[in-house]
Amino acid sequence: MLFVQDKEKLDGIEDALDYLYALFGPDNLVLTWGLDSVRPPPG
């Protein structure tokens, strides 16, 4: 589970999530918003 502590840095969240998908791959990682909406990998 990931949390953004400094809400002023939310502008970089999309890049951070794309990086996680690149690092682990979409077959090994599923990112969700609020545990009910899947955030798809880039592309």
Side-chain angles (χ1 to χ4, degrees):
M1 190 173 288
L2 297 174
F3 293 97
V4 177
Q5 295 292 330
D6 185 350
K7 302 297 184 198
E8 293 181 13
K9 296 185 179 180
L10 284 175
D11 291 341
I13 193 77
E14 293 295 325
D15 291 337
L17 297 178
D18 290 347
Y19 173 74
L20 289 174
Y21 269 126
L23 187 64
F24 293 102
D27 293 334
N28 298 313
L29 179 69
V30 175
L31 298 175
T32 63
W33 296 113
L35 300 175
D36 60 356
S37 178
V38 173
R39 195 276 190 180

